[in-house]
């Protein structure tokens, strides 16, 4: 089955600096890569996603890159703010028909220091 | 209007008891899931149902039994609770159908504590 590795497990940055979280996946058939943000005590929520036919996607201060050959993808957050502090999960997904199995990484706890 | 709602939010019980968690989604999604999040925050899929049919059944003890009476509901029943079952259980749903449509909408979570 799919295996998603994520690092670092914890990350502390000064407010205004950039943060980068990296993930690798094992199954070359995976074709969809979402990122979820989970604030303390709350539910995970999608922040950005990328499909396998796209190399990069940006949404304001966050961007995701995908290297299909190397089977890795990364989340970049620029100009970090205290409200970016949360646990971030990468995931890989593949499938057909009416469903896809989503495999999550272990999560990265990001702390933005004011 | 809550999209994915699960009850109860908190559940404290003794070892050996049986308990249920209920989940309902009003998004019209075809697929529903149960995820377990342990103390280290790892999100692990347990089950997935598509239109009331079980499609994913990970390596989960058979003390855990999901039930989907219709595509808007997915309940989780746990028999003979053990200490290791303590976790936050998240229900989720997705539309499915094609790559990229599998955006998961999570419920608020049910924190189960087994004493």
């Amino acid at each position: 089955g799919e295996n998603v590795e994520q690092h670092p497990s914890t990350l502390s940055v000064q407010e205004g600096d950039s943060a980068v979280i990296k993930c690798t996946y094992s199954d070359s058939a995976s074709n969809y890569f979402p990122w979820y943000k989970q604030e303390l005590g709350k539910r995970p929520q999608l922040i950005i996603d990328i499909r396998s036919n796209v190399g990069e996607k940006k949404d304001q201060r966050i961007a995701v890159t995908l290297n299909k050959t190397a089977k890795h993808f990364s989340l970049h957050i620029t100009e970090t703010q205290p409200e970016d502090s949360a646990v971030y999960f990468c995931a890989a997904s593949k499938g057909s028909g009416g469903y896809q199995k989503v495999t999550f990484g272990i999560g990265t706890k990001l702390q933005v220091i004011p | 209007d809550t999209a994915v709602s699960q009850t109860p939010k908190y559940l404290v019980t003794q070892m050996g008891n049986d308990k249920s968690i209920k989940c309902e989604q009003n998004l019209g999604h075809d697929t529903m899931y149960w995820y377990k999040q342990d103390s280290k925050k790892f999100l692990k899929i347990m089950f997935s149902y598509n239109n009331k049919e079980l499609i994913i059944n990970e390596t989960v003890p058979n003390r855990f039994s999901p039930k989907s009476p219709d595509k808007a509901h997915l309940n989780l029943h746990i028999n003979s609770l053990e200490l290791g079952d303590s976790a936050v259980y998240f229900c989720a749903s997705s539309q499915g159908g094609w790559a990229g449509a599998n955006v998961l909408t999570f419920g608020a979570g049910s924190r189960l504590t087994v004493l």
Side-chain angles (χ1 to χ4, degrees):
Chain A
E2 175 66 277
N3 182 46
V4 177
E5 295 189 356
Q6 179 174 353
H7 59 93
S9 57
T10 58
L11 180 60
S12 289
V13 300
Q14 291 291 133
E15 183 178 355
D17 288 350
S18 295
V20 180
I21 302 170
K22 297 183 179 182
C23 291
T24 60
Y25 61 99
S26 60
D27 191 337
S28 56
S30 289
N31 53 17
Y32 174 62
F33 306 91
W35 287 85
Y36 287 82
K37 175 184 180 182
Q38 186 178 24
E39 296 176 1
L40 187 62
K42 300 204 173 165
R43 73 193 77 192
Q45 291 191 292
L46 181 77
I47 53 170
I48 195 168
D49 55 12
I50 192 167
R51 300 181 200 179
S52 59
N53 58 349
V54 176
E56 185 173 358
K57 185 176 178 181
K58 192 172 180 180
D59 183 5
Q60 299 181 340
R61 294 187 298 108
I62 60 173
V64 59
T65 59
L66 170 65
N67 183 328
K68 280 173 55 180
T69 304
K71 289 191 279 193
H72 64 70
F73 56 115
S74 302
L75 177 72
H76 304 251
I77 307 174
T78 58
E79 300 171 25
T80 53
Q81 300 167 5
E83 52 265 37
D84 294 330
S85 296
V87 178
Y88 291 81
F89 294 93
C90 64
S93 177
K94 67 165 184 176
S96 59
Y99 64 93
Q100 293 193 353
K101 180 178 174 181
V102 180
T103 301
F104 284 89
I106 61 167
T108 296
K109 185 175 181 180
L110 173 64
Q111 182 184 22
V112 179
I113 304 165
Chain B
D1 216 18
T2 305
V4 180
S5 59
Q6 52 183 111
T7 56
K9 191 170 173 64
Y10 299 98
L11 193 51
V12 181
T13 189
Q14 299 287 331
M15 269 198 314
N17 284 351
D18 304 337
K19 290 294 177 186
S20 292
I21 308 171
K22 295 185 176 182
C23 181
E24 175 182 3
Q25 54 95 5
N26 61 7
L27 298 167
H29 286 169
D30 292 331
T31 310
M32 295 185 73
Y33 311 79
W34 278 110
Y35 279 86
K36 178 181 180 181
Q37 186 171 49
D38 59 25
S39 57
K40 295 182 180 178
K41 301 298 183 186
F42 184 59
L43 271 169
K44 183 169 171 56
I45 190 166
M46 300 173 70
F47 303 102
S48 177
Y49 273 72
N50 181 255
N51 277 319
K52 302 191 298 177
E53 182 183 342
L54 180 66
I55 52 172
I56 295 173
N57 184 353
E58 292 295 291
T59 309
V60 176
N62 57 15
R63 298 182 295 104
F64 291 79
S65 49
K67 194 171 229 181
S68 183
D70 55 63
K71 77 171 194 176
H73 295 84
L74 180 60
N75 303 323
L76 183 65
H77 187 76
I78 316 169
N79 290 326
S80 304
L81 278 157
E82 300 177 356
L83 292 175
D85 298 332
S86 295
V88 179
Y89 292 85
F90 283 100
C91 176
S93 71
S94 70
Q95 182 55 48
W98 46 273
N102 203 34
V103 176
L104 295 172
T105 301
F106 284 89
S110 296
R111 181 177 293 276
L112 171 65
T113 302
V114 182
L115 303 174

